[in-house]
Amino acid sequence: MWQWINDNAQALSFFASLGTLGVWLFYAHLLYAGFRRQRQARILINQGWGQQIDSVCLISNMSQEPIYIHSLVMTIRTQDDEYSESITDFDTAEPRDSEDRPQNVTRQGPLNSGEQMNLGTFRSIIRQTAKRHDNLESDDDRPIRTLEIANFKITVIASYGPEGGIIGAQRKFIVSGEDNELMRPAATTTKRMAKRHARAKLQDWLEQQL
């Protein structure tokens, strides 16, 4: 056996080198994949304080670097149609509110890594969407019941340095209950919108808001 090994030492060394190279390439791929995941934007849209209409909508930046939020869009699906409106700015803000604290008039702006933004209650942002759309009539006390909402989506349109361009995150919520005042996420995770087709749609939304 030793004689056979000595006779084929050169070939065995070649295949051993190939095996070693394959192992290194495998680990390099794992490291690169992990690095890419760490550099990707990770934006979460969550529901806090129960599943009722007065629960709050939270936007969290779990990326390694800050993001810049350009726009927030709510899309309401009723029994008959679908309506999308920007909820980036506050309807109740006054011009003087922006003098010292821009966050008092708009939700647009940077969000640091590990921080979250409270958009307010779902009641308030649904009411804001309804008031901005001519085909929806909001009831200040019970907007969901009067609008006959089946579900709605919250979309975050943002920029993230390492990825470049526009990226987005979206989450869908199902409405239920006797008075349509209960809601829950349709999925356990936030949908990441980073592919070319999704980015083109986000860009169109931004251009429509100009």
Side-chain angles (χ1 to χ4, degrees), residues 119-209:
L119 300 189
T121 66
F122 284 100
R123 182 193 297 273
S124 65
I125 57 179
I126 289 173
R127 183 185 303 157
Q128 179 179 355
T129 303
K131 286 183 176 180
R132 288 188 175 187
H133 207 287
D134 296 337
N135 294 339
L136 295 175
E137 295 181 1
S138 70
D139 181 328
D140 284 348
D141 294 324
R142 308 176 76 86
I144 288 187
R145 184 183 65 182
T146 57
L147 294 175
E148 298 182 349
I149 297 176
N151 60 70
F152 60 88
K153 299 175 184 176
I154 303 291
T155 304
V156 179
I157 305 176
S159 289
Y160 182 60
E163 294 200 32
I166 298 297
I167 54 103
Q170 186 180 83
R171 199 164 192 186
K172 180 179 178 180
F173 294 85
I174 305 297
V175 177
S176 61
E178 184 177 349
D179 289 329
N180 288 343
E181 291 204 351
L182 295 177
M183 59 196 66
R184 59 175 177 80
T188 58
T189 58
T190 301
K191 177 183 177 182
R192 187 171 181 271
M193 304 176 70
K195 294 184 178 180
R196 181 178 300 178
H197 176 73
R199 289 190 179 194
K201 184 177 181 179
L202 296 174
Q203 188 67 43
D204 288 342
W205 272 349
L206 279 182
E207 292 176 357
Q208 291 172 12
Q209 296 172 25

Side-chain angles (χ1 to χ4, degrees), residues 11-163:
L12 291 174
S13 177
F14 172 75
F15 286 112
S17 298
L18 283 181
T20 302
L21 177 62
V23 171
W24 279 110
L25 288 175
F26 174 74
Y27 279 108
H29 173 73
L30 291 180
L31 289 172
Y32 177 70
F35 175 77
R36 284 195 62 187
R37 283 196 299 269
Q38 290 179 351
R39 299 294 288 174
Q40 287 179 345
R42 183 168 174 77
I43 304 171
L44 304 182
I45 304 172
N46 288 317
Q47 179 181 19
W49 198 50
Q51 294 185 338
Q52 73 279 9
I53 188 175
D54 288 314
S55 57
V56 295
C57 183
L58 302 172
I59 308 297
S60 303
N61 177 23
M62 304 308 294
S63 314
Q64 284 198 334
E65 297 185 19
I67 61 172
Y68 186 90
I69 296 177
H70 294 284
S71 180
L72 298 165
V73 179
M74 170 170 271
T75 302
I76 292 178
R77 164 66 69 176
T78 67
Q79 301 299 329
D80 303 318
D81 211 339
E82 184 175 273
Y83 308 93
S84 294
E85 286 295 328
S86 170
I87 54 171
T88 309
D89 300 327
F90 296 104
D91 287 344
T92 57
E94 298 291 339
R96 64 177 181 273
D97 296 334
S98 64
E99 294 178 358
D100 299 320
R101 296 177 63 84
Q103 60 268 35
N104 289 339
V105 298
T106 183
R107 299 179 176 101
Q108 181 180 358
L111 187 63
N112 289 328
S113 175
E115 292 188 354
Q116 69 179 15
M117 173 189 296
N118 186 344
L119 300 189
T121 66
F122 284 100
R123 182 193 297 273
S124 65
I125 57 179
I126 289 173
R127 183 185 303 157
Q128 179 179 355
T129 303
K131 286 183 176 180
R132 288 188 175 187
H133 207 287
D134 296 337
N135 294 339
L136 295 175
E137 295 181 1
S138 70
D139 181 328
D140 284 348
D141 294 324
R142 308 176 76 86
I144 288 187
R145 184 183 65 182
T146 57
L147 294 175
E148 298 182 349
I149 297 176
N151 60 70
F152 60 88
K153 299 175 184 176
I154 303 291
T155 304
V156 179
I157 305 176
S159 289
Y160 182 60
E163 294 200 32

